Amino acid sequence: MIPKQLEEINEDDLVALIENQVREGRTIDYKRELPGGSDASKKEFLADVSSFANTSGGDLIFGMDEVEAFPTEIVGLQSGDLDKERQRLESIMASGLEPRIRYEIRDIICKNDNRVLILRMDRSWSGPHRVIFQQSDRFWGRNSSGKYPLDLNELRAAFTLSSSVMDRIRGFRTDRIIAISNNETPVPMNPGPKLVMHCIPIESFAGQPQYDLIPFYQNHARLPAIGNRGYSRRLNLDGLLVGDGQGAYIGDTYTHLYRNGLIEVVTGPGWVFKKDNQKWITSPGYEKPLLDYLPICFRVFKEIDARAPVVVALTLTNARGLAMDNPRSFPFIQSFLIDRETLALPESVVQDFSIESVKILRPMFDLIWNACGYAESMNFDKEGKWDERRY
C-alpha cells in the first residue's frame, strides 16, 4: 500500500514504485488493464479485492505494467470512459462479494494523458469476505507472494477475530462505565449524572497500535475541549487528557485520547437542573455539543491514521429518577422518570468518517427521550436538522 492518503497520491508516487522496485505482495498489486467482461476475469478481480480486505488492506493499481511482480512502466488505461468503468467495478463488487467491503477509488492523470486507477481496500473487521459471483463460494487471503485461498483453520481464526474484537470493545466500555458511575474519573468531576461518548476504532483492539499524541498536547487547536470552554491538558500513562478543570479544580467535562486511538468524552452534570425536588434534563446541553464534537473526534482519527470502522456509543450514568425538560410539550404530555441507573445505548459501527454526526447520534438521543416517555428528541426540525429555535 502506498503510504499516503489516497487523495494525496500523484504521479510521482507511482514513479517511485518503479524506481524503488516495490514488489507485488501483501498490500499492493499491479494490473496492466482493468478486469475484462468474462466471468473468469470478474472472479479474478473479486478474489484480488477480497484478499486485501481479508488480510491487511492494500492498493490494486490499474494501468501499470509489471515483470515478475516488479513494476516497470506506467502504461495507462485504454478505456475512454473511466467513470463508466468505475461504476462497472463497483457493481461487480456489490453483487460478487459477501459481506460488502469498504473501498476507495482514485483516478490519477499522468504525463501523456496516461490515466491510472487505484482501488484501495482497508483491512475489514466485518469479514471474512467471500466471493459469491456465479455461485462461487471461496475466501481469499494474501501474503508476500500474492493471494491464496484461506484454509479451514485460517477461516476459523478470521471469524473468531471478528467476534472477539467486539467482545473486547464491549468489555472495555462496561469497565469504563462502572468506573465513571463510581466517580472514578481521570480528572475530578462534579458528582451526578454524566453523558459518556466512546469513539473506538476497531483496529485499536484488533491489533496493538500506539499513536504519537505529543502533537495534540503541543497544539491545543488539534484537540479542543468539548464546547470550546476554557480547558487544561496533560499527558498521563494512558494518553492525553483535555478538560475544563485545572489541577484539583472540579470540572464538568473531559476528553481522554488513549494511546491506542480510542476517545472517551464525558460531560455532565451541567445539563441537569433541580426544581421542586425534581432533577430535569436540559437536552440541548449535551445534544448540540456532542453533535459538534463528534466530527472533531473523526478528524483526530484521520490525523493519527486510525481507520474506520469506528464504534460510537453513548451511555447515560446515574440516571435513575431524571425527567426530560421539554418546554414545547403540551400540558397533557408527561415526562416519565428514568427507571434505571445506567442507560447503555446500543453502539453504532461507523464505516466512513464523512457520515454526518446527526445520522449517528440522533437515534441515540431519541432513545434517551424514549426513556422519559417521548417518541423522539424535540430538538430537530422535520428534515432532521438541529433546530436552534426549539429552546
Side-chain angles (χ1 to χ4, degrees):
M1 181 183 290
I2 299 174
K4 294 179 71 173
Q5 296 291 330
L6 187 60
E7 63 270 14
E8 298 174 354
I9 296 175
N10 55 37
E11 183 180 6
D12 291 340
D13 298 303
L14 302 178
V15 172
L17 295 173
I18 299 173
E19 293 176 345
N20 297 326
Q21 286 293 276
V22 178
R23 192 181 191 279
E24 288 181 333
R26 188 179 180 88
T27 62
I28 198 165
D29 200 350
Y30 308 109
K31 303 290 182 183
R32 182 182 180 90
E33 300 175 346
L34 292 167
S38 68
D39 289 348
S41 181
K42 292 176 182 178
K43 284 184 180 180
E44 180 76 9
F45 167 65
L46 291 169
D48 285 326
V49 169
S50 61
S51 70
F52 282 119
N54 286 337
T55 311
S56 301
D59 292 334
L60 195 53
I61 304 177
F62 297 99
M64 288 190 69
D65 206 356
E66 53 83 20
V67 174
E68 296 183 352
F70 290 96
T72 57
E73 182 183 3
I74 299 174
V75 296
L77 297 170
Q78 303 304 311
S79 173
D81 190 347
L82 276 189
D83 287 337
K84 186 175 181 180
E85 288 296 328
R86 290 173 63 157
Q87 293 174 7
R88 184 174 72 91
L89 297 183
E90 291 172 349
S91 177
I92 294 172
M93 289 187 286
S95 61
L97 294 174
E98 187 180 79
R100 294 188 178 189
I101 67 166
R102 292 185 63 252
Y103 60 86
E104 298 176 89
I105 301 181
R106 173 84 190 281
D107 176 15
I108 299 176
I109 301 177
C110 304
K111 294 177 182 177
N112 302 320
D113 289 330
N114 283 334
R115 301 180 73 180
V116 173
L117 199 69
I118 302 179
L119 176 60
R120 170 167 288 183
M121 284 68 59
D122 288 335
R123 177 177 181 177
S124 174
W125 303 108
S126 59
H129 303 267
R130 62 174 178 163
V131 177
I132 59 172
F133 178 75
Q134 291 289 310
Q135 299 182 333
S136 177
D137 190 16
R138 303 195 72 175
F139 294 86
W140 296 85
R142 200 165 188 89
N143 57 27
S144 58
S145 300
K147 64 179 179 294
Y148 67 95
L150 296 176
D151 62 28
L152 185 60
N153 289 331
E154 290 171 316
L155 272 176
R156 185 179 294 113
F159 280 111
T160 300
L161 176 62
S162 181
S163 60
S164 65
V165 168
M166 289 304 299
D167 288 342
R168 292 175 64 190
I169 288 174
R170 289 171 181 141
F172 170 84
R173 183 187 174 196
T174 298
D175 290 344
R176 291 301 305 143
I177 295 308
I178 292 173
I180 293 168
S181 298
N182 292 329
N183 293 319
E184 298 172 9
T185 53
V187 294
M189 294 191 72
N190 285 307
K194 297 176 179 64
L195 205 293
V196 184
M197 180 172 71
H198 282 114
C199 299
I200 306 175
I202 289 181
E203 66 183 15
S204 295
F205 282 87
Q208 293 181 331
Q210 292 289 303
Y211 299 107
D212 179 14
L213 306 185
I214 298 299
F216 297 91
Y217 173 67
Q218 295 173 333
N219 185 346
H220 292 195
R222 297 183 69 174
L223 184 60
I226 185 171
N228 289 315
R229 290 184 279 183
Y231 57 89
S232 63
R233 63 187 54 228
R234 66 178 175 88
L235 296 168
N236 66 2
L237 184 62
D238 295 314
L240 173 64
L241 271 168
V242 180
D244 63 351
Q246 182 67 44
Y249 171 76
I250 296 176
D252 279 331
T253 182
Y254 73 81
T255 295
H256 200 176
L257 172 59
Y258 285 70
R259 297 185 192 279
N260 67 353
L262 71 88
I263 297 176
E264 177 178 279
V265 183
V266 179
T267 178
W271 37 267
V272 175
F273 71 95
K274 190 173 183 180
K275 182 179 179 181
D276 298 331
N277 294 321
Q278 172 61 49
K279 290 184 177 180
W280 297 88
I281 299 172
T282 306
S283 56
Y286 63 80
E287 288 190 2
K288 188 61 166 64
L290 288 176
L291 287 171
D292 292 339
Y293 201 68
L294 184 58
I296 294 175
C297 296
F298 288 172
R299 187 195 70 206
V300 169
F301 291 147
K302 289 190 284 187
E303 289 185 13
I304 64 176
D305 200 24
R307 300 175 183 173
V310 170
V311 174
V312 177
L314 292 187
T315 308
L316 182 60
T317 70
N318 306 104
R320 189 185 299 276
L322 293 178
M324 184 67 70
D325 177 45
N326 182 22
R328 295 175 59 88
S329 176
F330 292 105
F332 54 82
I333 299 180
Q334 179 184 358
S335 178
F336 291 90
L337 304 183
I338 295 178
D339 62 0
R340 61 200 68 186
E341 280 297 308
T342 303
L343 298 183
L345 308 179
E347 67 266 8
S348 174
V349 180
V350 180
Q351 300 288 349
D352 191 329
F353 293 140
S354 66
I355 297 176
E356 295 180 1
S357 57
V358 66
K359 294 182 179 179
I360 301 167
L361 296 177
R362 170 73 189 276
M364 303 181 196
F365 295 160
D366 288 345
L367 288 175
I368 297 176
W369 284 75
N370 292 166
C372 297
Y374 293 95
E376 60 185 3
S377 171
M378 300 292 186
N379 298 317
F380 299 84
D381 61 21
K382 293 181 179 179
E383 285 72 39
K385 297 180 180 179
W386 178 265
D387 189 349
E388 298 285 357
R389 300 169 300 175
R390 288 280 167 169
Y391 278 78

